[in-house]
Amino acid sequence: MGRAKAVALEGSITAGADFLQLDIGEAPPGGRADWLAARLRAAIADGRVPVGARLPASRVLAGELGVSRGVVTEAYQRLGEDGHVAGRGRAGTVVVATPAAVVSRPPTPRRPPRVFTDRPGVEVFDALRAAPAEVDLTPGVPDLAAFPRAAWLRAERTVLNRLTPAALGYGDPTGTPALRLAVANWLARNRGIRVDPAEVVVVAGVSQALGLLAQVLHAHDVHTVAVEDPGSLGVRQHLANWGLAIPPVPVDDQGLRVDLLAATGAPAVLLTPAHQFPTGVVLDGERRRRLLAWARDGGLVVEDDYDAEHRYDRPPVPALRGMLPDRVCYTGSVSKLLAPALRIGWMLVPPRLHAEVVAAKRMADLGNAALPQLVLAELMESGAMERHLRMLRHRHVRRRDAMIRAVRAHLPGAVVHGAAAGLHLLVTLPDEVDDVALAAEALRRGVKVQPLSWHGQRPQPPGLVLGYAATAPSEIDRALATLAHCLP
């Protein structure tokens, strides 16, 4: 009887699973989880398992394949880390995003769109976003497949169930009281900033914050804001659009060269002290002290805290705003935490500028949409945002490590910068490389990157700014292999 049962069980192992006609006999010894994850990933990519479909329960699929349940759960976990599936509690494991199709040969070169030039215009980011690519390593893009849809829906139901009719009318241009309180609590917990909720101004992202601030600065006869060099091309474009001069201040491995700031004559400076874009350096303690001394003498600091929550291998760095609130304007958003499409951010300004910033916000749009603010406030206050951030940190570390390994394997002459935090790496290259031409050729071969040259006003060493947060490790390796073929 026992022998007959064993024979029957052995026969079920050989048969495999009806689901996708999986045959465990195809799996290499010791590599069953890798094999299963690859088969599932390919089926999701080619549409056999579409977005919204539920995968078999791990116990059921393990039984059909004749493997331990751990093999199936490990395969599901890898797909989850790549952003392709997500656990939905009793609903099981559901497909939430489609990976790029598996390519067994190098992508066919195609005529590149007119994106990469030495002097990019204001339309360049729209053009780059619209350009087709098989792997997108654009910096600053979060893992949109990881957006906490279930948590957002729960928060939305909670908000709608207790919403009063009055909340649907015109509101305070500075934002809903609930979100301003939630932001104040979030900043106290995560950024070391103690602020009264009444000081928080909710804005449509950091770009609007800069526009509002520019209008107020012009009214105070401030027409120049110094910026980091290299520094964000997009930020420079926004400031220039509002008629501000933007003299460059060099950045080294300790951050902004504060000793050179005074030479610009600028009464204000914008910087990213917690995680400098694009180099990834942290403004060190001595530079912070010098910068705050400069501000106390009459300077104004604009602190862009664009991705400070995403840190991995170093302790948190407190925000400058918490040290000198009367001389620091602070901006932040959920664009790197949740999604840019939400268009929700916040700013804190010195008390003397607060009323003028609020007036500019009122004339701009009467305030952000209230419902998304209330839902975000519920996410922040319920603890769902912290849980989401912890999940992202684990996923980002795996993808960052995959990118570092891929750089070492495929670009041995490159140097990696800024790995301890953020959503991107800076990779500097040998001096003979033209990084703009390299980025253009990479796009022609299906890989989207940004050249370091874009982000500098002065000449910079050649390099690439590579985002990893939204890309699966397997795709990262494939993209870096393609970049290696693009080098002269």
Side-chain angles (χ1 to χ4, degrees), residues 108-148:
T108 303
R110 55 181 174 267
R111 183 181 299 276
R114 184 63 174 169
V115 174
F116 292 101
T117 64
D118 292 327
R119 297 177 63 85
V122 294
E123 75 293 337
V124 68
F125 292 112
D126 291 335
L128 187 58
R129 278 190 290 268
E134 295 172 15
V135 184
D136 189 349
L137 300 183
T138 298
V141 179
D143 185 0
L144 301 178
F147 184 86

Side-chain angles (χ1 to χ4, degrees), residues 9-10 12-14 16 22-41 61-79:
L9 181 60
E10 183 177 351
S12 69
I13 293 174
T14 303
L22 295 171
D23 181 359
I24 196 64
E26 298 175 357
R32 288 177 168 182
D34 288 336
W35 171 85
L36 180 57
R39 289 294 302 273
L40 294 172
R41 188 179 293 111
L61 187 55
E64 292 182 356
L65 293 175
V67 299
S68 70
R69 190 181 179 189
V71 169
V72 180
T73 56
E74 183 178 349
Y76 284 8
Q77 181 179 358
R78 293 182 186 182
L79 293 175

Side-chain angles (χ1 to χ4, degrees), residues 42-302:
I44 296 170
D46 65 23
R48 285 176 290 158
V49 183
V51 172
R54 184 170 63 181
L55 298 182
S58 58
R59 180 177 285 106
V60 171
L61 187 55
E64 292 182 356
L65 293 175
V67 299
S68 70
R69 190 181 179 189
V71 169
V72 180
T73 56
E74 183 178 349
Y76 284 8
Q77 181 179 358
R78 293 182 186 182
L79 293 175
E81 290 173 348
D82 290 346
H84 303 146
V85 303
R88 294 287 188 254
R90 293 182 179 178
T93 301
V94 178
V95 176
V96 296
T98 304
V102 176
V103 178
S104 58
R105 54 182 173 76
T108 303
R110 55 181 174 267
R111 183 181 299 276
R114 184 63 174 169
V115 174
F116 292 101
T117 64
D118 292 327
R119 297 177 63 85
V122 294
E123 75 293 337
V124 68
F125 292 112
D126 291 335
L128 187 58
R129 278 190 290 268
E134 295 172 15
V135 184
D136 189 349
L137 300 183
T138 298
V141 179
D143 185 0
L144 301 178
F147 184 86
R149 301 183 188 209
W152 185 272
L153 286 171
R154 285 194 298 271
E156 195 169 60
R157 284 193 294 269
T158 299
V159 167
L160 290 173
N161 284 337
R162 68 188 182 203
L163 194 67
T164 64
L168 296 173
Y170 289 103
D172 191 321
T174 63
T176 65
L179 182 56
R180 286 187 280 120
L181 174 61
V183 168
N185 291 337
W186 174 270
L187 294 176
R189 291 194 305 269
N190 294 283
R191 301 301 299 125
I193 300 174
R194 297 183 63 183
V195 61
D196 190 305
E199 298 176 61
V200 176
V201 180
V202 177
V203 292
V206 172
S207 59
Q208 185 182 51
L210 297 180
L212 299 176
L213 184 59
Q215 296 173 60
V216 172
L217 291 180
H218 280 307
H220 286 261
D221 203 30
V222 173
H223 308 292
T224 302
V225 176
V227 294
E228 298 165 315
D229 196 56
S232 169
L233 169 62
V235 167
R236 295 204 315 270
Q237 289 177 339
H238 279 293
L239 295 176
N241 176 67
W242 285 99
L244 291 167
I246 45 174
V249 180
V251 169
D252 61 19
D253 57 0
Q254 275 82 49
L256 184 85
R257 288 284 305 274
V258 181
D259 57 320
L260 301 180
L261 174 59
T264 68
V269 61
L270 186 150
L271 71 164
T272 50
H275 182 241
Q276 202 274 333
F277 184 90
T279 67
V281 303
V282 177
L283 188 68
D284 77 356
E286 179 58 30
R287 298 276 176 90
R288 284 173 170 251
R289 287 186 285 274
R290 292 183 181 181
L291 179 65
L292 294 176
W294 174 86
R296 290 189 186 95
D297 287 341
L300 180 70
V301 175
V302 183

